[in-house]
Amino acid sequence: MRARDLAQEFPTVDLGDDALVAARTMAESGRPGLVVLDEKGRACTVLPGSQVLRLAVPVYVQSDPHLARVYDEKAADELFGKLSGRTVRDLLPDPHDHAELPVVDPDATSIEVAAVLARMRSPLAVVSDGDRVLGVITVSRLLRALLPAADPASEGEPGGPVSNGEPELR
Amino acid sequence: MRARDLAQEFPTVDLGDDALVAARTMAESGRPGLVVLDEKGRACTVLPGSQVLRLAVPVYVQSDPHLARVYDEKAADELFGKLSGRTVRDLLPDPHDHAELPVVDPDATSIEVAAVLARMRSPLAVVSDGDRVLGVITVSRLLRALLPAADPASEGEPGGPVSNGEPELR
């Protein structure tokens, strides 16, 4: 199976988009991050959700989260309201480095995608033909494609020893 | 809003569970990681999906993903089949350090949870009362709770400038 067959849609934002819009997109998508596109529409980096929080939450509160208890809900509105007027570019941690983005080409094999994710310790790879983003491949999608068929006899009682919570996006 | 109200179910595995079972749980959950419980059922760390791939994919293929093209699907079965017989403990990168786990108590406020995620650059926090894991809070769940109500007038045309792919778990 090739990367093009595994790619799933994923929310994207542009470098120039409003930071508050990016935060809302993340909130609504149920995803832990967004793919950021540069001026030419090419994937340039992934914006992790925690980075949005780093811009909104004052540094002294990050250092001592118990201080956060002084904030009521109205104060929270103000913290996150201040994202508006900033851009996605402002949210990025460092000058983004394309070389650090886990990108695979559409013809990459599933093992090749696994190798890229393993090496970069990334939860997802961007599938791109250079100019256009086709989608992303998450670790869990990849594992579904790669894992050998289950052999119930070798895994103990049905259901197994794991608590497998129903995935919930919203 | 308090952490206990924001907590969502999340798949867990025990340190002694078979690594292949953990990989399957991750594949089926659609999540990028699993909460790992110690012998007493307390959260001790989060196992990222990429770590499963690191154990399955040979190091020389991780270094040069193009080498992966020599693997056919049968070979992939063998790579991942070798997870069986190893445990979740074998998958963990380093002696896991509880102090590094983003844990919040059930009474933590939403801003407090935001501060913890921001400081630790984590996509999720584990809600625990010390002995028992109540669930996890993802960045996107938290942002839905924290973001001020949208004001469409200040955000351009409906839909906005972002491509907002339908979230897909499987």
Side-chain angles (χ1 to χ4, degrees):
Chain A
M1 197 174 277
R2 300 287 171 154
R4 66 173 77 252
D5 309 312
L6 293 168
Q8 299 176 303
E9 255 192 291
F10 203 80
T12 62
V13 286
D14 295 333
L15 277 174
D17 282 343
D18 191 274
L20 186 57
V21 174
R24 287 226 176 86
T25 303
M26 209 172 288
E28 286 159 16
S29 72
R31 298 289 199 168
L34 304 171
V35 173
V36 181
L37 305 180
D38 68 12
E39 296 78 1
K40 295 184 173 166
R42 294 174 304 203
C44 65
T45 190
V46 171
L47 172 66
S50 57
Q51 198 61 33
V52 175
L53 301 176
R54 289 178 76 85
L55 200 74
V57 178
V59 172
Y60 69 90
V61 177
Q62 291 181 40
S63 308
D64 183 358
H66 289 97
L67 294 178
R69 303 218 173 178
V70 304
Y71 286 93
D72 59 14
E73 296 202 0
K74 187 166 174 308
D77 276 11
E78 282 165 21
L79 286 184
F80 286 85
K82 80 184 180 193
L83 290 175
S84 190
R86 318 281 294 266
T87 65
V88 168
R89 198 188 303 271
D90 297 327
L91 290 176
L92 296 178
D94 293 299
H96 46 281
D97 184 353
H98 195 132
E100 300 224 340
L101 184 66
V103 177
V104 295
D105 78 57
D107 289 327
T109 65
S110 48
I111 296 281
E112 194 174 346
V113 178
V116 168
L117 295 180
R119 179 168 57 86
M120 301 187 70
R121 298 178 187 273
S122 173
L124 60 87
V126 177
V127 184
S128 169
D129 63 7
D131 292 322
R132 201 170 57 91
V133 175
L134 277 69
V136 306
I137 302 172
T138 62
V139 170
S140 64
R141 175 71 190 91
L142 185 65
L143 284 172
R144 280 200 299 286
L146 281 172
L147 287 177
D151 173 7
S154 66
E155 282 179 36
E157 73 272 33
V162 291
S163 138
N164 193 349
E166 187 66 24
E168 187 183 325
L169 268 183
R170 282 168 197 272
Chain B
M1 198 173 277
R2 301 286 171 154
R4 68 173 75 252
D5 308 312
L6 294 168
Q8 299 176 302
E9 256 193 291
F10 203 82
T12 62
V13 287
D14 295 332
L15 277 173
D17 282 343
D18 191 276
L20 186 56
V21 173
R24 286 225 176 85
T25 303
M26 208 172 290
E28 287 159 16
S29 71
R31 298 290 199 168
L34 303 171
V35 173
V36 181
L37 306 180
D38 68 13
E39 297 78 1
K40 294 183 174 166
R42 294 174 305 205
C44 66
T45 190
V46 170
L47 173 65
S50 58
Q51 197 62 32
V52 175
L53 301 176
R54 289 178 76 84
L55 200 74
V57 178
V59 172
Y60 69 91
V61 177
Q62 290 181 42
S63 308
D64 184 357
H66 289 97
L67 295 177
R69 303 217 172 178
V70 303
Y71 286 93
D72 59 15
E73 296 203 0
K74 187 166 174 307
D77 275 10
E78 281 166 23
L79 286 184
F80 285 86
K82 81 186 178 189
L83 289 175
S84 190
R86 317 284 293 266
T87 66
V88 168
R89 197 188 302 270
D90 297 328
L91 290 177
L92 296 177
D94 293 299
H96 46 281
D97 183 354
H98 195 133
E100 301 225 340
L101 184 66
V103 176
V104 296
D105 78 57
D107 289 326
T109 65
S110 48
I111 297 281
E112 196 174 343
V113 178
V116 169
L117 295 180
R119 180 168 56 86
M120 301 187 71
R121 299 177 186 271
S122 173
L124 59 89
V126 176
V127 184
S128 169
D129 63 7
D131 291 323
R132 201 169 58 91
V133 174
L134 277 69
V136 305
I137 302 172
T138 62
V139 170
S140 64
R141 175 70 189 91
L142 184 66
L143 284 171
R144 281 199 301 283
L146 281 172
L147 287 177
D151 172 9
S154 66
E155 282 179 36
E157 74 272 33
V162 291
S163 138
N164 193 350
E166 187 65 26
E168 188 184 324
L169 269 181
R170 282 168 194 272

